[in-house]
Amino acid sequence: MLIQRLVEHAATTDGTAAPRYHRSRAVRWTVRIDEHGTGSLIDRADSNNKAGAQEATPYLTRTSGIAAMLLVDTLEYVFGIPKDETDKAKKAAQRRNDAYLTMLHEWRDATADPVAATVCDFFDAKRHITLAAQLPAAAAASEIVAIMVGNEFVHRRSSAIDHWSGVARRRKGSGDEGICLACGSIGPLLKTVPDMVKSSLIPVGIDTSGRSKRGRDAALISVNTGAQGRGGVLQLANTPLCETCGSQAMAALNHLLGNERHRRRGDDSVLTWWLREPAEFDLMVIDRPELADVKALLNEVSNARPGTSVDHNAFHALTLSANQSRIVVRDWMDIPVHDIRARLAAWFNDHGSTDHWADGVHYVPLWKLVRASGRWNRSAQQYVPGSVAHGLERDLLRAALHGVPPPPHLVPRLLHRIRNDHHVDLPRVALLRLALTRPPYKENVMSGLDETEDDPAYVWGRIFAVLEAIQRRALPDVNATIRDRWFGLAMTQPGATLCMLSRNAIGHIKKLVGKDETRAAGRALDARLADLINPLNSKTGLPSHLDVRGQVRFIIGYNHQRSADLSAARAANAAKKAKEGDGSADGPSADQ
Amino acid sequence: MSSHPYYPNSPLTVEVSGEFACFTRPELKAERFSYEVMTPSAARGVLESIFWRPEFEYVIVKIEILKPIAWFSIRRNEVKSLASDEWIRRMMADTSVRYDVETDRDQRNTIALRDVAYRIFAQVRLRPQATGNEVKYREQFRRRVDKGACFSQPFLGTREFSARFGKASRLEPIRETRALGPMLHSIHYQDGKETYHWFMAELSNGVLEVPPRGLELPAAGPAGSRS
C-alpha cells in the first residue's frame, strides 16, 4: 500500500525527476577531458558546498564486496587511491579500480557512443594516474569524482543512463518474472531493493552534548536474517516487487525526505508527507501557525457542509525512524485531504489560548509546545535544553494528525513542572487546554476568559490572579510574589491558601486605598475580588483539595484572568495615549 | 478474480476477538507493520485451529470488522536465526554445542492492531478424499464453537496474540469504506515450495469481501536456518 503510494508520487510532476538508479550526491572532483584527450582535475568545493556540489549520479546500494558505479564513483574506484597506507588497503583499491575500468570498457563495447571511446582511451593511456598525483594529501578515498568530456557530464548521456539501468537490473534483479505486489502487472522482479534512504535523512537521536548522532543508509524493505523472512527465506522472495516499482518508490522516498517542504524532523524520527495530487496545503502550519493561515483553515472547515464539495485528493504521511540499517515505519496515513484539514482545524481549536503579551487567541507551534514540557530556568528566562518529555514530540504530532488525545503522561508531568517552577505561559496553558478538551476529559474550555464559568477550580484560578495583581500594585518592588511563594500550594489546597492570602490582601487594599494616587485602583481591585469570592461563598465555597482536573482548570483560570487584565490595561493605556496625542496636537493650534 | 460460486448452505460464522493482532505486511516484515484488518489466510488459520480434517478445506467468504481500527507499537529483542531440524540433530549428537542468544540478538519494532474483533464467514469445500458429507463437518465445527473447543489456541496473525472465539453476536460492522491494496489471500504448498496468492482488498462498510482465489506469484526458495 505504502509502496504503491510512493510509486504513484514518483510519477507526478511533484515527484522525483532523477533518472532511475540515480542518487543526488555531493561530487567533489571532476575529471575534464578536452578534445585532445588531455585531462584536468577540477575541485568543485566552494564555501557553500564544502563536499562539492550536488549532482544526480548513477548509484546502487553497495552493501559489501566490490561493485563499481558507472563513471561517477569514489577516488578509490576511479584513481585507485587507498583508504590508508596498508598493503591490504592498496590491494583493495587496485581491485576496485580494475572493476571501475572493466565497467567503462563494458559500456564502450555495448554502445556506439564516441564519448565512451574517448573516456576509455583516457583511462587506457593511464592519464588518470597523472591527475591522481595532483590530488591534495588530505583528499579522502571516499570523495566522489565525476567525468566530463568537453563541457558535458558523461554520466548524463543517454547511452550511459541506459547501460547503467542494465547493470542495475543484473545486480538487483532476481532473474524471475512475476506479478508485482505494488503495480499488479507482470515484470522482472527484484532480489533486493536497489536503493536505500540516505543516512542524513533519518534522524537517529542526539548525543549527550545535544548534537544529532550519525546514522547509516537504511533500507525500507529488507529481509537479511532467517528470522525476519517467512520460513527463513532471505531477500525479497516473499515480497514480489518489480524493478520499476522498487526503484521508483525509493527514489520518491529519498526525494520527499530531502525536500524541506515535505518533511518534519524530530530527534529520532522524521515525518514525510505528500498529496496524491498537488494542491494548496502545507502541513507545516502546525510548526508555523501564522494567524491568517489558521483562521483561513478554521473558516474553511467550519463553512464546509457535508456533501457540498467533492474532493478526491488524498493525504499520505509516513513517520520513519532507523534501526541500524533498517527503516522502521512508525506510522502510515492515507486519508482524504479534507479529513486532515478537519483534524488540523480541531488541533488549533482545541489548544488556542489567550496570552499575557498580546490580545486575542494565539496558536502555538508544535515545537514550542514540546519545549514547554521541559524545566523553566528562571534566571536564564528559558526552558532548559534537553529537559523535554521524552517522545512527547512524536505523541503530539500523532495527536494532531490523528485527532487523538495527547499522551496520558502529559498532564501529570506538566503539573509537576508548574508546581516546581511556577511558570505559566502560553504554550503550557495551550497544552493543558488541549488535554482538557480531548478525551478522557472532553470538557468545554474556552480559549479566553469565561466570566460565566462557575467551576470553583476555574474561579479560584481567577481569584489567585486578582490577589497577585493586588499585591503587585501595593508592593511594586516585592522580591517574591504570591505566585513564587504559594502557587504550588494553591494548585492543590485552595481553601487553606485563600484564607491565608485573603488576610494579606486586606492589608494591601488598605494600603492602596490610603493613598490618593492608588485609591481608585485599590477600590476597583477590591470590588473585583469580592465579585469573584462572594458567589463562591454563597454556594459551596472553595474545595479543600483539587484533583488533577481541578488543578488544570485552576491554571487555565489564572492564565485567562491575567491575560484579560493585561489586555484591558493595554487598551486603557492605548486610549490614554491617544487622548494625550489628541491634546498635544490641539495645543499648538490653540496657541496660534 | 471471479466471484464465489453458489453455495447451497449458509456460511459458517465465528467471531474472534483479542487484545492485540498483527497481520504482517509482506513488504514490512523485518520491522513489522500489520495490515489494517485480518487477512483471509489468518482467518483460515483460526478456523483450522478450532476444527481441522484433511477431508475438507475452508473457503473464506467475507470478514466483518467489528471494532474500530486502532494501532499500537512495541519494540522487542528477538533473535536473527531459526532453529532447524539439522541444528537440533547436531545439538543432540554433540552436547558441547551451545546456542548463545546474546550473539544472535535482533531488536525489531512491531506496529500492530489493538483491541480487535472480527466475524468470519466461511464455507466448507470437500476434498476428493472426503468420505462424509458437508453437513457432518459443518455440524462438528458448530458444536466445537458452541463448546469453545479447539485443537490449538487460535491466534491473531502471530502466535503471541491469542484469540478468543465464540458464536456470532449482534455487533454491527464498523462504518468504514476504503481500499486496502494488495493483500495476502492464501499460501499453497507444493514440492517443498510455497506459493502466495494475492487479491486487491477493499473494506466496504466494515466488510472485507474475499474472492474464492487470488492471483498467484512465483514460489519462494528453500528456507535458511540456524547453523
Side-chain angles (χ1 to χ4, degrees):
Chain A
M1 194 65 173
L2 101 91
I3 305 291
Q4 259 184 322
R5 297 291 169 260
L6 285 170
V7 173
E8 284 168 13
H9 178 69
T12 63
T13 51
D14 203 25
T16 174
R20 195 184 296 179
Y21 310 119
H22 281 56
R23 178 190 271 200
S24 179
R25 292 190 290 170
V27 177
R28 172 70 193 265
W29 303 97
T30 301
V31 173
R32 186 168 175 274
I33 305 170
D34 63 16
E35 63 273 19
H36 308 297
T38 312
S40 54
L41 193 65
I42 303 167
D43 186 351
R44 286 162 53 88
D46 55 31
S47 55
N48 290 332
N49 302 295
K50 289 182 180 168
Q54 290 288 322
E55 171 71 21
T57 62
Y59 183 81
L60 284 175
T61 296
R62 193 156 48 192
T63 48
S64 61
I66 295 170
M69 312 290 172
L70 182 64
L71 289 161
V72 187
D73 214 321
T74 59
L75 286 174
E76 191 180 19
Y77 274 87
V78 180
F79 290 145
I81 308 283
K83 287 175 183 164
D84 51 52
E85 289 305 311
T86 60
D87 286 345
K88 188 182 171 191
K90 285 176 183 167
K91 282 180 187 167
Q94 191 55 51
R95 284 200 300 275
R96 285 176 168 80
N97 185 237
D98 290 345
Y100 178 80
L101 297 177
T102 305
M103 177 157 291
L104 285 184
H105 290 131
E106 285 172 2
W107 170 50
R108 181 192 61 190
D109 298 342
T111 177
D113 192 343
V115 172
T118 307
V119 174
C120 285
D121 290 346
F122 174 82
F123 280 94
D124 289 345
K126 308 281 184 195
R127 289 178 195 142
H128 63 287
I129 294 173
T130 320
L131 293 184
Q134 297 174 18
L135 284 165
S142 57
E143 290 173 3
I144 311 279
V145 194
I147 313 288
M148 285 178 102
V149 169
N151 291 322
E152 183 193 22
F153 274 119
V154 184
H155 65 267
R156 292 183 187 172
R157 294 183 71 81
S158 59
S159 67
I161 291 171
D162 292 346
H163 184 73
W164 178 242
S165 297
V167 172
R169 276 195 286 276
R170 281 199 300 280
R171 279 193 199 164
K172 299 294 179 181
S174 66
D176 288 330
E177 285 218 339
I179 301 166
C180 169
L181 194 62
C183 64
S185 54
I186 294 175
L189 298 179
L190 288 169
K191 181 173 66 182
T192 57
V193 177
D195 200 356
M196 294 172 118
V197 171
K198 281 190 253 181
S199 58
S200 57
L201 295 180
I202 301 185
V204 291
I206 50 175
D207 60 19
T208 47
S209 57
R211 283 177 303 195
S212 297
K213 285 198 267 191
R214 194 181 168 85
R216 299 183 195 172
D217 281 8
L220 177 63
I221 307 172
S222 104
V223 179
N224 298 325
T225 63
Q228 289 170 8
R230 184 177 164 76
V233 181
L234 303 183
Q235 300 180 332
L236 300 188
N238 297 331
T239 309
L241 262 188
C242 70
E243 289 169 7
T244 311
C245 290
S247 58
Q248 284 189 345
M250 293 312 295
L253 187 56
N254 269 312
H255 176 74
L256 284 166
L257 289 170
N259 188 335
E260 287 189 356
R261 286 191 61 247
H262 285 276
R263 66 154 191 234
R264 186 187 186 282
R265 288 170 68 91
D267 285 343
D268 62 353
S269 63
V270 57
L271 169 88
T272 184
W273 64 274
W274 68 100
L275 303 182
R276 192 172 60 206
E277 295 154 19
E280 277 296 312
F281 175 75
D282 187 5
L283 185 68
M284 290 307 111
V285 70
I286 55 171
D287 264 335
R288 296 183 288 274
E290 297 295 333
L291 207 55
D293 295 342
V294 177
K295 280 188 174 166
L297 180 71
L298 295 177
N299 285 338
E300 186 187 327
V301 171
S302 65
N303 291 341
R305 291 182 178 80
T308 53
S309 66
V310 180
D311 184 359
H312 295 297
N313 206 353
F315 169 85
H316 309 298
L318 253 178
T319 307
L320 305 174
S321 58
N323 177 6
Q324 304 290 347
S325 55
R326 295 201 301 260
I327 290 176
V328 181
V329 177
R330 288 188 174 270
D331 192 20
W332 162 240
M333 292 180 75
D334 181 1
I335 59 170
V337 170
H338 59 77
D339 281 6
I340 190 71
R341 283 184 198 273
R343 287 180 189 178
L344 285 181
W347 168 258
F348 290 120
N349 263 330
D350 290 352
H351 85 248
S353 299
T354 49
D355 189 20
H356 302 163
W357 308 111
D359 299 337
V361 177
H362 298 267
Y363 305 99
V364 190
L366 192 130
W367 63 272
K368 279 193 179 175
L369 292 176
V370 175
R371 201 182 53 176
S373 69
R375 198 166 65 248
W376 177 255
N377 183 339
R378 197 174 164 193
S379 54
Q381 288 292 298
Q382 64 174 21
Y383 287 101
V384 177
S387 63
V388 300
H390 180 69
L392 182 65
E393 184 164 27
R394 206 166 39 230
D395 288 337
L396 285 182
L397 197 58
R398 183 176 153 73
L401 298 182
H402 289 268
V404 294
H409 61 79
L410 173 69
V411 169
R413 180 174 178 114
L414 213 50
L415 290 178
H416 171 77
R417 287 283 187 224
I418 294 170
R419 201 175 298 121
N420 285 290
D421 59 28
H422 309 149
H423 183 70
V424 179
D425 60 3
L426 172 66
R428 282 188 170 178
V429 171
L431 272 178
L432 290 175
R433 180 166 177 254
L434 176 76
L436 221 51
T437 47
R438 295 196 169 192
Y441 300 106
K442 289 206 272 187
E443 291 194 15
N444 186 19
V445 184
M446 298 284 281
S447 54
L449 183 64
D450 183 2
E451 292 183 332
T452 60
E453 176 62 68
D454 58 357
D455 173 54
Y458 184 81
V459 177
W460 166 228
R462 293 182 61 193
I463 292 171
F464 194 87
V466 174
L467 290 170
E468 191 187 14
I470 292 170
Q471 189 202 34
R472 194 182 296 112
R473 195 65 200 257
L475 309 169
D477 300 326
V478 68
N479 280 332
T481 65
I482 61 167
R483 183 176 57 157
D484 299 329
R485 284 177 181 273
W486 307 113
F487 199 79
L489 192 67
M491 279 172 67
T492 50
Q493 297 178 42
T497 317
L498 179 62
C499 275
M500 182 172 54
L501 296 180
S502 295
R503 282 197 294 275
N504 295 340
I506 291 167
H508 293 147
I509 288 168
K510 194 174 173 187
K511 185 178 175 187
L512 288 172
V513 172
K515 294 180 189 169
D516 288 345
E517 63 269 28
T518 56
R519 185 168 296 127
R523 284 180 178 159
L525 285 168
D526 190 24
R528 192 183 301 164
L529 189 61
D531 286 349
L532 288 170
I533 291 179
N534 290 342
L536 263 186
N537 286 340
S538 67
K539 291 182 180 172
T540 53
L542 275 180
S544 59
H545 181 263
L546 287 183
D547 58 6
V548 166
R549 179 202 146 277
Q551 291 177 39
V552 174
R553 293 205 70 129
F554 162 74
I555 294 166
I556 290 176
Y558 168 75
N559 177 268
H560 284 179
Q561 183 64 50
R562 240 184 119 203
S563 301
D565 288 352
L566 290 172
S567 186
R570 277 192 297 273
N573 232 350
K576 192 176 165 189
K577 276 185 183 169
K579 199 174 173 186
E580 285 170 3
D582 288 346
S584 62
D586 291 345
S589 60
D591 291 344
Q592 285 164 8
Chain B
M1 282 186 277
S2 61
S3 60
H4 286 270
Y6 170 73
Y7 297 112
N9 298 305
S10 59
L12 295 169
T13 56
V14 62
E15 224 168 89
V16 290
S17 60
E19 306 293 317
F20 311 108
C22 183
F23 310 105
T24 309
R25 283 181 174 276
E27 65 268 37
L28 300 169
K29 286 182 79 69
E31 303 285 342
R32 297 184 196 88
F33 198 96
S34 175
Y35 281 112
E36 291 90 337
V37 301
M38 177 183 246
T39 60
S41 61
R44 202 171 295 111
V46 167
L47 300 186
E48 287 177 354
S49 65
I50 295 170
F51 179 57
W52 178 84
R53 283 281 181 274
E55 289 90 353
F56 74 91
E57 63 183 332
Y58 294 103
V59 180
I60 307 294
V61 178
K62 66 175 178 179
I63 299 170
E64 290 182 350
I65 291 76
L66 306 176
K67 286 192 177 174
I69 299 166
W71 300 88
F72 80 104
S73 169
I74 185 173
R75 200 164 202 185
R76 294 179 294 185
N77 285 337
E78 301 183 24
V79 295
K80 290 179 184 170
S81 58
L82 294 171
S84 65
D85 294 346
E86 188 274 331
W87 186 76
I88 289 168
R89 269 197 298 275
R90 202 150 56 83
M91 276 198 87
M92 290 170 73
D94 181 358
T95 52
S96 67
V97 175
R98 291 280 184 276
Y99 172 59
D100 182 6
V101 72
E102 291 302 330
T103 60
D104 199 27
R105 276 273 178 251
D106 195 11
Q107 194 173 59
R108 292 166 69 183
N109 194 68
T110 301
I111 303 273
L113 301 166
R114 182 202 293 272
D115 196 17
V116 297
Y118 305 102
R119 191 177 297 132
I120 303 167
F121 294 78
Q123 289 286 350
V124 166
R125 182 159 64 198
L126 296 181
R127 289 194 168 121
Q129 68 266 34
T131 51
N133 60 26
E134 188 184 325
V135 174
K136 170 182 160 185
Y137 300 118
R138 289 172 61 87
E139 286 303 307
Q140 277 181 294
F141 179 85
R142 190 185 56 74
R143 285 197 298 273
R144 291 184 71 82
V145 170
D146 289 352
K147 283 194 297 185
C150 55
F151 288 165
S152 60
Q153 182 64 39
F155 56 89
L156 295 164
T158 48
R159 284 192 187 273
E160 60 267 46
F161 298 148
S162 62
R164 297 181 290 270
F165 67 94
K167 289 194 285 187
S169 69
R170 290 185 174 182
L171 274 177
E172 288 284 318
I174 59 171
R175 296 272 167 224
E176 196 162 332
T177 300
R178 60 166 135 156
L180 301 175
M183 181 180 275
L184 182 67
H185 180 278
S186 49
I187 302 170
H188 299 259
Y189 304 90
Q190 197 172 18
D191 303 330
K193 286 188 172 181
E194 290 183 347
T195 51
Y196 307 104
H197 289 216
W198 310 82
F199 73 111
M200 291 302 287
E202 199 169 334
L203 202 59
S204 174
N205 277 323
V207 181
L208 177 74
E209 298 281 353
V210 182
R213 60 184 65 83
L215 291 168
E216 190 176 329
L217 291 167
S225 60
R226 187 176 295 154
S227 55

